[in-house]
Amino acid sequence: DGGITQSPKYLFRKEGQNVTLSCEQNLNHDAMYWYRQDPGQGLRLIYYSQIVNDFQKGDIAEGYSVSREKKESFPLTVTSAQKNPTAFYLCACGSLGDTQYFGPGTRLTVL
Amino acid sequence: GQQLNQSPQSMFIQEGEDVSMNCTSSSIFNTWLWYKQDPGEGPVLLIALYKAGELTSNGRLTAQFGITRKDSFLNISASIPSDVGIYFCAGHSGAGSYQLTFGKGTKLSVIP
C-alpha cells in the first residue's frame, strides 16, 4: 500500500537525551516536512526537504536536526537543546505547489 | 510572514445541522486545502482547490476558493457524530513554494 508512516506512535524520553523520530513514504514525493503540533497552536514547521541531501529550516528549527539520505526517509532528531520537546510531531510529504499528505504522528513525552 | 485566520475556533452543533467555517489570508494563495484531524491522528486531506472561484464537493462537504484568492470556506451538510474533529485550512502562496501556511483549526463538536 502507498502511504506515509511514522514510528513510534508514542515515545518517552528523559531530559537530556536525544531521540530520533522515523518518517518513511512510498508515494514517490520529492518534498518532506516535519511539523510540531501543540494544543491550540495549529501546525508549526520545523524542517523541510525538497530533495535528497538537502533540507531547510522552518519556523522553529532550534533544538532539532534532520537528514535526507534517501528520498523515502526523513528522520527527525529532537536534541537535548530543545527546551520544551513534549508535543505531537507530524511528518508530511508532497510535490511542488501541491497537497501535503500527513503521517499518523508521534507523540513525544519528556519525563 | 503569511497568516491565515480561521474561524470559528470552535463550534457545538446538533446532529443534522449544517456547518460553515472559513479562512482568510492577508496575501494571495494559489492553492487552498482543507484537512480534518481526529484526536491523536494526522490530518487527512478533505478537499483541494486550485482555481479562484472553484467550488468542489466531497460527499457532504463543499469548499470554495474565494475569487479574491484570499479566502476559502468549508461547509458540511447534515452533520453526523463522526464529523467531530479539528478542521484545518491551509494554503500555498505560489509556484516554487514548498511550504504550506496553516490556520489554527476549527474544533467541531456534534451533539447527538
Side-chain angles (χ1 to χ4, degrees):
Chain A
D1 287 346
I4 176 168
T5 59
Q6 291 183 241
S7 63
K9 182 69 173 173
Y10 299 96
L11 189 56
F12 297 89
R13 188 195 91 176
K14 292 182 179 179
E15 280 193 30
Q17 288 182 337
N18 293 355
V19 64
T20 298
L21 283 59
S22 169
C23 179
E24 304 278 335
Q25 58 106 355
N26 61 6
L27 299 171
N28 201 35
H29 285 144
D30 290 320
M32 296 186 74
Y33 309 80
W34 275 104
Y35 294 91
R36 171 181 171 137
Q37 187 175 31
D38 295 286
Q41 293 201 36
L43 281 74
R44 293 185 289 169
L45 183 64
I46 304 172
Y47 267 98
Y48 66 100
S49 168
Q50 301 175 13
I51 198 169
V52 173
N53 292 324
D54 183 63
F55 46 82
Q56 307 295 328
K57 292 182 179 179
D59 301 321
I60 55 166
E62 185 175 352
Y64 300 98
S65 66
V66 293
S67 63
R68 186 86 185 276
E69 298 177 1
K70 300 186 300 181
K71 186 176 184 177
E72 301 80 14
S73 179
F74 191 41
L76 173 74
T77 297
V78 184
T79 75
S80 57
Q82 169 49 234
K83 298 305 179 187
N84 184 22
T86 294
F88 190 51
Y89 290 88
L90 287 161
C91 180
C93 63
S95 298
L96 174 61
D98 208 329
T99 58
Q100 290 182 19
Y101 300 93
F102 287 86
T106 293
R107 184 165 298 280
L108 173 65
T109 302
V110 174
L111 304 173
Chain B
Q2 295 171 337
Q3 292 186 355
L4 283 183
N5 295 309
Q6 186 171 351
S7 64
Q9 273 190 308
S10 62
M11 51 196 318
F12 291 81
I13 61 168
Q14 204 76 34
E15 182 177 357
E17 289 184 347
D18 297 343
V19 173
S20 184
M21 59 192 78
N22 68 79
C23 273
T24 58
S25 169
S26 57
S27 55
I28 288 172
F29 284 117
N30 287 342
T31 302
W32 282 97
L33 307 168
W34 285 93
Y35 291 88
K36 183 196 176 195
Q37 185 177 29
D38 292 327
E41 301 295 332
V44 173
L45 181 68
L46 298 173
I47 292 179
L49 303 161
Y50 299 104
K51 186 177 177 182
E54 180 181 356
L55 184 71
T56 298
S57 293
N58 178 7
R60 294 179 296 105
L61 278 62
T62 301
Q64 184 158 30
F65 192 141
I67 57 173
T68 66
R69 295 164 64 193
K70 291 185 177 182
D71 63 337
S72 177
F73 72 75
L74 175 70
N75 286 344
I76 305 173
S77 63
S79 59
I80 59 178
S82 62
D83 290 335
V84 166
I86 301 177
Y87 293 79
F88 289 99
C89 61
H92 266 294
S93 62
S97 168
Y98 280 91
Q99 296 189 47
L100 282 178
T101 301
F102 285 87
K104 291 191 175 182
T106 295
K107 186 175 182 180
L108 177 64
S109 300
V110 178
I111 304 167

